[in-house]
Tab-separated table of all heavy atoms in Angstrom:
chain	number	residue	atom	x	y	z
Z	1	LEU	N	53.425	-55.090	-66.863
Z	1	LEU	CA	52.513	-55.743	-67.797
Z	1	LEU	C	53.228	-55.992	-69.126
Z	1	LEU	O	53.983	-55.141	-69.613
Z	1	LEU	CB	51.280	-54.883	-68.041
Z	1	LEU	CG	50.346	-54.647	-66.845
Z	1	LEU	CD1	49.160	-53.796	-67.274
Z	1	LEU	CD2	49.871	-55.964	-66.246
Z	2	VAL	N	52.974	-57.125	-69.723
Z	2	VAL	CA	53.647	-57.494	-70.965
Z	2	VAL	C	53.291	-56.531	-72.100
Z	2	VAL	O	54.093	-56.318	-73.011
Z	2	VAL	CB	53.304	-58.958	-71.338
Z	2	VAL	CG1	53.851	-59.322	-72.711
Z	2	VAL	CG2	53.869	-59.899	-70.278
Z	3	LYS	N	52.119	-55.909	-72.048
Z	3	LYS	CA	51.736	-54.958	-73.098
Z	3	LYS	C	52.660	-53.741	-73.128
Z	3	LYS	O	52.693	-53.009	-74.122
Z	3	LYS	CB	50.288	-54.510	-72.924
Z	3	LYS	CG	50.004	-53.673	-71.690
Z	3	LYS	CD	48.572	-53.168	-71.664
Z	3	LYS	CE	47.573	-54.294	-71.584
Z	3	LYS	NZ	46.173	-53.820	-71.472
Z	4	THR	N	53.439	-53.526	-72.067
Z	4	THR	CA	54.400	-52.423	-72.044
Z	4	THR	C	55.772	-52.841	-72.560
Z	4	THR	O	56.663	-52.005	-72.696
Z	4	THR	CB	54.555	-51.866	-70.619
Z	4	THR	OG1	55.191	-52.858	-69.781
Z	4	THR	CG2	53.212	-51.488	-70.025
Z	5	TYR	N	55.959	-54.124	-72.853
Z	5	TYR	CA	57.246	-54.626	-73.328
Z	5	TYR	C	57.449	-54.273	-74.801
Z	5	TYR	O	56.491	-54.148	-75.563
Z	5	TYR	CB	57.315	-56.153	-73.203
Z	5	TYR	CG	57.471	-56.715	-71.818
Z	5	TYR	CD1	57.271	-55.941	-70.675
Z	5	TYR	CD2	57.816	-58.058	-71.628
Z	5	TYR	CE1	57.419	-56.480	-69.403
Z	5	TYR	CE2	57.972	-58.600	-70.377
Z	5	TYR	CZ	57.767	-57.812	-69.259
Z	5	TYR	OH	57.908	-58.350	-68.005
Z	6	SER	N	58.699	-54.174	-75.207
Z	6	SER	CA	59.026	-54.061	-76.626
Z	6	SER	C	58.855	-55.432	-77.278
Z	6	SER	O	58.731	-56.461	-76.589
Z	6	SER	CB	60.472	-53.595	-76.810
Z	6	SER	OG	61.362	-54.611	-76.368
Z	7	GLY	N	58.883	-55.452	-78.632
Z	7	GLY	CA	58.759	-56.719	-79.333
Z	7	GLY	C	59.856	-57.697	-78.959
Z	7	GLY	O	59.611	-58.898	-78.788
Z	8	GLY	N	61.076	-57.189	-78.797
Z	8	GLY	CA	62.191	-58.050	-78.424
Z	8	GLY	C	62.033	-58.615	-77.025
Z	8	GLY	O	62.370	-59.784	-76.768
Z	9	MET	N	61.519	-57.818	-76.109
Z	9	MET	CA	61.298	-58.279	-74.740
Z	9	MET	C	60.222	-59.356	-74.689
Z	9	MET	O	60.335	-60.338	-73.945
Z	9	MET	CB	60.927	-57.100	-73.839
Z	9	MET	CG	62.074	-56.130	-73.608
Z	9	MET	SD	61.522	-54.521	-72.982
Z	9	MET	CE	60.914	-54.969	-71.361
Z	10	VAL	N	59.173	-59.190	-75.503
Z	10	VAL	CA	58.114	-60.206	-75.554
Z	10	VAL	C	58.688	-61.534	-76.040
Z	10	VAL	O	58.399	-62.596	-75.481
Z	10	VAL	CB	56.963	-59.755	-76.478
Z	10	VAL	CG1	55.975	-60.896	-76.688
Z	10	VAL	CG2	56.241	-58.549	-75.896
Z	11	ARG	N	59.517	-61.472	-77.087
Z	11	ARG	CA	60.086	-62.715	-77.612
Z	11	ARG	C	60.997	-63.364	-76.584
Z	11	ARG	O	61.002	-64.591	-76.426
Z	11	ARG	CB	60.854	-62.416	-78.907
Z	11	ARG	CG	60.948	-63.604	-79.863
Z	11	ARG	CD	59.600	-64.177	-80.158
Z	11	ARG	NE	59.630	-65.142	-81.265
Z	11	ARG	CZ	58.712	-66.052	-81.463
Z	11	ARG	NH1	57.704	-66.161	-80.625
Z	11	ARG	NH2	58.780	-66.894	-82.489
Z	12	ARG	N	61.762	-62.555	-75.849
Z	12	ARG	CA	62.620	-63.122	-74.801
Z	12	ARG	C	61.790	-63.747	-73.686
Z	12	ARG	O	62.177	-64.770	-73.116
Z	12	ARG	CB	63.548	-62.039	-74.246
Z	12	ARG	CG	64.746	-61.757	-75.151
Z	12	ARG	CD	65.716	-60.804	-74.501
Z	12	ARG	NE	65.312	-59.422	-74.671
Z	12	ARG	CZ	65.525	-58.466	-73.772
Z	12	ARG	NH1	66.110	-58.743	-72.619
Z	12	ARG	NH2	65.143	-57.228	-74.028
Z	13	LEU	N	60.643	-63.146	-73.387
Z	13	LEU	CA	59.759	-63.724	-72.375
Z	13	LEU	C	59.223	-65.068	-72.845
Z	13	LEU	O	59.160	-66.030	-72.061
Z	13	LEU	CB	58.605	-62.768	-72.079
Z	13	LEU	CG	57.566	-63.272	-71.067
Z	13	LEU	CD1	58.193	-63.453	-69.691
Z	13	LEU	CD2	56.383	-62.300	-70.990
Z	14	GLU	N	58.837	-65.155	-74.112
Z	14	GLU	CA	58.336	-66.421	-74.646
Z	14	GLU	C	59.409	-67.506	-74.566
Z	14	GLU	O	59.120	-68.667	-74.240
Z	14	GLU	CB	57.879	-66.214	-76.093
Z	14	GLU	CG	56.619	-65.368	-76.198
Z	14	GLU	CD	56.243	-65.015	-77.620
Z	14	GLU	OE1	57.136	-64.619	-78.399
Z	14	GLU	OE2	55.055	-65.123	-77.951
Z	15	ILE	N	60.644	-67.128	-74.865
Z	15	ILE	CA	61.731	-68.108	-74.786
Z	15	ILE	C	62.015	-68.471	-73.335
Z	15	ILE	O	62.309	-69.629	-73.013
Z	15	ILE	CB	62.980	-67.572	-75.506
Z	15	ILE	CG1	62.693	-67.489	-77.017
Z	15	ILE	CG2	64.197	-68.455	-75.242
Z	15	ILE	CD1	63.747	-66.799	-77.822
Z	16	ALA	N	61.907	-67.502	-72.410
Z	16	ALA	CA	62.067	-67.800	-70.981
Z	16	ALA	C	61.029	-68.825	-70.535
Z	16	ALA	O	61.341	-69.742	-69.758
Z	16	ALA	CB	61.942	-66.521	-70.160
Z	17	CYS	N	59.792	-68.673	-71.016
Z	17	CYS	CA	58.742	-69.654	-70.689
Z	17	CYS	C	59.132	-71.045	-71.181
Z	17	CYS	O	58.911	-72.046	-70.498
Z	17	CYS	CB	57.413	-69.227	-71.311
Z	17	CYS	SG	56.681	-67.733	-70.601
Z	18	ALA	N	59.719	-71.103	-72.374
Z	18	ALA	CA	60.119	-72.388	-72.946
Z	18	ALA	C	61.298	-73.002	-72.214
Z	18	ALA	O	61.489	-74.228	-72.236
Z	18	ALA	CB	60.466	-72.205	-74.419
Z	19	MET	N	62.112	-72.170	-71.557
Z	19	MET	CA	63.283	-72.660	-70.837
Z	19	MET	C	62.965	-73.179	-69.438
Z	19	MET	O	63.808	-73.815	-68.809
Z	19	MET	CB	64.320	-71.545	-70.723
Z	19	MET	CG	65.011	-71.167	-72.023
Z	19	MET	SD	66.154	-69.782	-71.727
Z	19	MET	CE	67.018	-69.710	-73.286
Z	20	LEU	N	61.774	-72.910	-68.943
Z	20	LEU	CA	61.453	-73.200	-67.544
Z	20	LEU	C	61.775	-74.620	-67.123
Z	20	LEU	O	62.312	-74.855	-66.039
Z	20	LEU	CB	59.966	-72.928	-67.285
Z	20	LEU	CG	59.558	-71.552	-66.777
Z	20	LEU	CD1	58.060	-71.507	-66.578
Z	20	LEU	CD2	60.278	-71.200	-65.493
Z	21	ILE	N	61.411	-75.578	-67.957
Z	21	ILE	CA	61.537	-76.985	-67.538
Z	21	ILE	C	62.862	-77.611	-67.965
Z	21	ILE	O	63.050	-78.816	-67.823
Z	21	ILE	CB	60.380	-77.822	-68.103
Z	21	ILE	CG1	60.352	-77.747	-69.639
Z	21	ILE	CG2	59.050	-77.387	-67.502
Z	21	ILE	CD1	59.431	-78.766	-70.297
Z	22	LYS	N	63.790	-76.804	-68.491
Z	22	LYS	CA	65.057	-77.339	-69.000
Z	22	LYS	C	64.772	-78.508	-69.950
Z	22	LYS	O	65.148	-79.655	-69.703
Z	22	LYS	CB	65.965	-77.797	-67.855
Z	22	LYS	CG	66.185	-76.791	-66.743
Z	22	LYS	CD	66.875	-75.549	-67.225
Z	22	LYS	CE	67.295	-74.633	-66.079
Z	22	LYS	NZ	66.168	-74.038	-65.348
Z	23	PRO	N	64.075	-78.252	-71.063
Z	23	PRO	CA	63.653	-79.337	-71.956
Z	23	PRO	C	64.842	-80.032	-72.606
Z	23	PRO	O	65.933	-79.480	-72.681
Z	23	PRO	CB	62.820	-78.592	-73.011
Z	23	PRO	CG	63.430	-77.222	-73.056
Z	23	PRO	CD	63.786	-76.913	-71.625
Z	24	LYS	N	64.610	-81.242	-73.102
Z	24	LYS	CA	65.654	-81.937	-73.845
Z	24	LYS	C	65.786	-81.350	-75.252
Z	24	LYS	O	66.858	-81.410	-75.849
Z	24	LYS	CB	65.355	-83.436	-73.935
Z	24	LYS	CG	65.462	-84.160	-72.608
Z	24	LYS	CD	65.418	-85.665	-72.784
Z	24	LYS	CE	66.697	-86.205	-73.401
Z	24	LYS	NZ	66.747	-87.682	-73.426
Z	25	ILE	N	64.688	-80.806	-75.768
Z	25	ILE	CA	64.719	-80.207	-77.098
Z	25	ILE	C	63.765	-79.019	-77.135
Z	25	ILE	O	62.661	-79.084	-76.597
Z	25	ILE	CB	64.368	-81.240	-78.193
Z	25	ILE	CG1	64.431	-80.605	-79.585
Z	25	ILE	CG2	63.017	-81.883	-77.946
Z	25	ILE	CD1	64.390	-81.630	-80.721
Z	26	MET	N	64.231	-77.931	-77.740
Z	26	MET	CA	63.405	-76.742	-77.950
Z	26	MET	C	63.096	-76.614	-79.432
Z	26	MET	O	64.008	-76.673	-80.269
Z	26	MET	CB	64.133	-75.475	-77.486
Z	26	MET	CG	64.403	-75.405	-76.006
Z	26	MET	SD	65.253	-73.852	-75.556
Z	26	MET	CE	63.910	-72.678	-75.747
Z	27	PHE	N	61.822	-76.447	-79.757
Z	27	PHE	CA	61.395	-76.183	-81.123
Z	27	PHE	C	61.038	-74.700	-81.226
Z	27	PHE	O	60.162	-74.214	-80.507
Z	27	PHE	CB	60.187	-77.046	-81.489
Z	27	PHE	CG	60.508	-78.510	-81.601
Z	27	PHE	CD1	60.308	-79.366	-80.521
Z	27	PHE	CD2	61.013	-79.038	-82.781
Z	27	PHE	CE1	60.596	-80.716	-80.620
Z	27	PHE	CE2	61.314	-80.390	-82.892
Z	27	PHE	CZ	61.101	-81.232	-81.805
Z	28	LEU	N	61.707	-74.001	-82.125
Z	28	LEU	CA	61.541	-72.551	-82.256
Z	28	LEU	C	61.123	-72.227	-83.684
Z	28	LEU	O	61.883	-72.457	-84.632
Z	28	LEU	CB	62.847	-71.834	-81.921
Z	28	LEU	CG	63.516	-72.207	-80.594
Z	28	LEU	CD1	64.880	-71.540	-80.490
Z	28	LEU	CD2	62.646	-71.813	-79.427
Z	29	ASP	N	59.919	-71.700	-83.836
Z	29	ASP	CA	59.400	-71.346	-85.152
Z	29	ASP	C	59.624	-69.853	-85.371
Z	29	ASP	O	58.919	-69.026	-84.810
Z	29	ASP	CB	57.907	-71.694	-85.222
Z	29	ASP	CG	57.368	-71.711	-86.645
Z	29	ASP	OD1	58.105	-71.279	-87.554
Z	29	ASP	OD2	56.223	-72.148	-86.849
Z	30	GLU	N	60.646	-69.514	-86.158
Z	30	GLU	CA	61.023	-68.116	-86.409
Z	30	GLU	C	61.277	-67.374	-85.089
Z	30	GLU	O	60.584	-66.409	-84.758
Z	30	GLU	CB	59.925	-67.391	-87.204
Z	30	GLU	CG	59.574	-68.039	-88.527
Z	30	GLU	CD	60.568	-67.722	-89.627
Z	30	GLU	OE1	61.566	-67.040	-89.344
Z	30	GLU	OE2	60.346	-68.163	-90.757
Z	31	PRO	N	62.284	-67.782	-84.311
Z	31	PRO	CA	62.458	-67.232	-82.956
Z	31	PRO	C	62.737	-65.743	-82.881
Z	31	PRO	O	62.428	-65.118	-81.874
Z	31	PRO	CB	63.648	-68.037	-82.402
Z	31	PRO	CG	64.361	-68.548	-83.609
Z	31	PRO	CD	63.297	-68.798	-84.627
Z	32	THR	N	63.298	-65.159	-83.932
Z	32	THR	CA	63.631	-63.724	-83.853
Z	32	THR	C	63.000	-62.923	-84.979
Z	32	THR	O	63.478	-61.834	-85.305
Z	32	THR	CB	65.164	-63.510	-83.885
Z	32	THR	OG1	65.674	-63.970	-85.137
Z	32	THR	CG2	65.852	-64.246	-82.750
Z	33	ILE	N	61.926	-63.414	-85.558
Z	33	ILE	CA	61.328	-62.725	-86.692
Z	33	ILE	C	60.864	-61.322	-86.288
Z	33	ILE	O	60.223	-61.121	-85.260
Z	33	ILE	CB	60.154	-63.535	-87.276
Z	33	ILE	CG1	59.722	-62.954	-88.628
Z	33	ILE	CG2	58.984	-63.628	-86.322
Z	33	ILE	CD1	58.832	-63.879	-89.442
Z	34	GLY	N	61.284	-60.331	-87.073
Z	34	GLY	CA	60.887	-58.954	-86.832
Z	34	GLY	C	61.696	-58.208	-85.789
Z	34	GLY	O	61.466	-57.017	-85.575
Z	35	LEU	N	62.663	-58.865	-85.143
Z	35	LEU	CA	63.459	-58.179	-84.127
Z	35	LEU	C	64.615	-57.410	-84.778
Z	35	LEU	O	65.124	-57.799	-85.831
Z	35	LEU	CB	64.024	-59.184	-83.119
Z	35	LEU	CG	63.028	-60.061	-82.363
Z	35	LEU	CD1	63.747	-60.839	-81.272
Z	35	LEU	CD2	61.890	-59.239	-81.777
Z	36	ASP	N	65.041	-56.337	-84.124
Z	36	ASP	CA	66.188	-55.589	-84.644
Z	36	ASP	C	67.463	-56.378	-84.365
Z	36	ASP	O	67.470	-57.314	-83.555
Z	36	ASP	CB	66.247	-54.190	-84.025
Z	36	ASP	CG	66.456	-54.217	-82.527
Z	36	ASP	OD1	67.494	-54.739	-82.065
Z	36	ASP	OD2	65.579	-53.731	-81.786
Z	37	PRO	N	68.570	-56.051	-85.043
Z	37	PRO	CA	69.795	-56.842	-84.916
Z	37	PRO	C	70.294	-57.018	-83.486
Z	37	PRO	O	70.743	-58.101	-83.113
Z	37	PRO	CB	70.810	-56.056	-85.762
Z	37	PRO	CG	69.970	-55.377	-86.790
Z	37	PRO	CD	68.701	-55.000	-86.088
Z	38	SER	N	70.202	-55.964	-82.662
Z	38	SER	CA	70.687	-56.092	-81.289
Z	38	SER	C	69.809	-57.042	-80.484
Z	38	SER	O	70.307	-57.843	-79.679
Z	38	SER	CB	70.741	-54.719	-80.609
Z	38	SER	OG	69.455	-54.120	-80.553
Z	39	ALA	N	68.497	-56.996	-80.687
Z	39	ALA	CA	67.593	-57.907	-79.983
Z	39	ALA	C	67.811	-59.345	-80.440
Z	39	ALA	O	67.779	-60.278	-79.625
Z	39	ALA	CB	66.144	-57.486	-80.213
Z	40	LYS	N	68.038	-59.540	-81.742
Z	40	LYS	CA	68.336	-60.875	-82.258
Z	40	LYS	C	69.591	-61.440	-81.613
Z	40	LYS	O	69.638	-62.613	-81.219
Z	40	LYS	CB	68.524	-60.825	-83.776
Z	40	LYS	CG	67.249	-60.711	-84.579
Z	40	LYS	CD	67.503	-60.364	-86.030
Z	40	LYS	CE	68.475	-61.267	-86.699
Z	40	LYS	NZ	68.658	-60.934	-88.146
Z	41	LYS	N	70.604	-60.599	-81.496
Z	41	LYS	CA	71.877	-61.045	-80.923
Z	41	LYS	C	71.697	-61.478	-79.467
Z	41	LYS	O	72.235	-62.508	-79.044
Z	41	LYS	CB	72.901	-59.912	-81.016
Z	41	LYS	CG	74.305	-60.287	-80.597
Z	41	LYS	CD	75.272	-59.148	-80.919
Z	41	LYS	CE	76.709	-59.528	-80.628
Z	41	LYS	NZ	76.988	-59.626	-79.182
Z	42	VAL	N	70.931	-60.713	-78.706
Z	42	VAL	CA	70.681	-61.057	-77.303
Z	42	VAL	C	69.980	-62.416	-77.202
Z	42	VAL	O	70.362	-63.278	-76.395
Z	42	VAL	CB	69.829	-59.967	-76.609
Z	42	VAL	CG1	69.323	-60.451	-75.249
Z	42	VAL	CG2	70.649	-58.697	-76.433
Z	43	VAL	N	68.936	-62.608	-78.014
Z	43	VAL	CA	68.189	-63.870	-77.979
Z	43	VAL	C	69.108	-65.047	-78.277
Z	43	VAL	O	69.094	-66.062	-77.566
Z	43	VAL	CB	67.014	-63.826	-78.982
Z	43	VAL	CG1	66.443	-65.224	-79.214
Z	43	VAL	CG2	65.916	-62.898	-78.476
Z	44	TRP	N	69.941	-64.910	-79.303
Z	44	TRP	CA	70.796	-66.040	-79.677
Z	44	TRP	C	71.937	-66.262	-78.689
Z	44	TRP	O	72.370	-67.405	-78.480
Z	44	TRP	CB	71.309	-65.873	-81.099
Z	44	TRP	CG	70.307	-66.390	-82.074
Z	44	TRP	CD1	69.526	-65.670	-82.928
Z	44	TRP	CD2	69.928	-67.753	-82.255
Z	44	TRP	NE1	68.689	-66.497	-83.636
Z	44	TRP	CE2	68.914	-67.779	-83.246
Z	44	TRP	CE3	70.339	-68.950	-81.682
Z	44	TRP	CZ2	68.316	-68.963	-83.667
Z	44	TRP	CZ3	69.741	-70.129	-82.107
Z	44	TRP	CH2	68.741	-70.131	-83.081
Z	45	GLU	N	72.422	-65.225	-78.058
Z	45	GLU	CA	73.424	-65.410	-77.007
Z	45	GLU	C	72.842	-66.228	-75.867
Z	45	GLU	O	73.498	-67.135	-75.327
Z	45	GLU	CB	73.907	-64.049	-76.494
Z	45	GLU	CG	74.873	-63.340	-77.435
Z	45	GLU	CD	75.238	-61.946	-76.948
Z	45	GLU	OE1	74.579	-61.449	-76.003
Z	45	GLU	OE2	76.173	-61.348	-77.527
Z	46	LYS	N	71.603	-65.921	-75.488
Z	46	LYS	CA	70.952	-66.648	-74.398
Z	46	LYS	C	70.672	-68.092	-74.798
Z	46	LYS	O	70.875	-69.020	-74.010
Z	46	LYS	CB	69.655	-65.951	-73.992
Z	46	LYS	CG	69.820	-64.511	-73.533
Z	46	LYS	CD	70.729	-64.383	-72.328
Z	46	LYS	CE	70.806	-62.941	-71.843
Z	46	LYS	NZ	71.746	-62.771	-70.718
Z	47	LEU	N	70.173	-68.284	-76.020
Z	47	LEU	CA	69.877	-69.642	-76.485
Z	47	LEU	C	71.154	-70.489	-76.568
Z	47	LEU	O	71.154	-71.660	-76.173
Z	47	LEU	CB	69.206	-69.589	-77.856
Z	47	LEU	CG	67.732	-69.188	-77.876
Z	47	LEU	CD1	67.272	-68.946	-79.315
Z	47	LEU	CD2	66.865	-70.249	-77.221
Z	48	THR	N	72.229	-69.902	-77.073
Z	48	THR	CA	73.492	-70.635	-77.196
Z	48	THR	C	74.035	-71.014	-75.826
Z	48	THR	O	74.510	-72.147	-75.613
Z	48	THR	CB	74.523	-69.787	-77.961
Z	48	THR	OG1	74.003	-69.478	-79.263
Z	48	THR	CG2	75.841	-70.529	-78.113
C-alpha cells in the first residue's frame, strides 16, 4: 500500500506514473520538494 511508502518513494511513484506513456514533454512542479539529498539524487538520476 502506498501509505506504507516513504515520502521519497511516493514521489518516485508519481514520476513513474508520469513516465508510463513515454511523453514528449514532462512538466514537474517541485519534483523533489521535501526529499532528503539521497532521495533527490535518485529521482534526478532516473529523470536524466
Side-chain angles (χ1 to χ4, degrees):
L1 295 181
V2 173
K3 67 175 63 176
T4 67
Y5 287 14
S6 68
M9 291 163 67
V10 171
R11 206 53 169 159
R12 281 187 277 146
L13 178 64
E14 290 173 315
I15 292 172
C17 292
M19 289 177 171
L20 267 181
I21 59 168
K22 309 297 189 293
K24 291 191 72 173
I25 181 168
M26 295 181 73
F27 291 95
L28 309 173
D29 195 351
E30 303 281 3
T32 63
I33 192 165
L35 302 188
D36 63 61
S38 61
K40 284 167 53 178
K41 186 172 185 289
V42 168
V43 166
W44 275 109
E45 284 175 349
K46 301 300 183 183
L47 283 170
T48 301

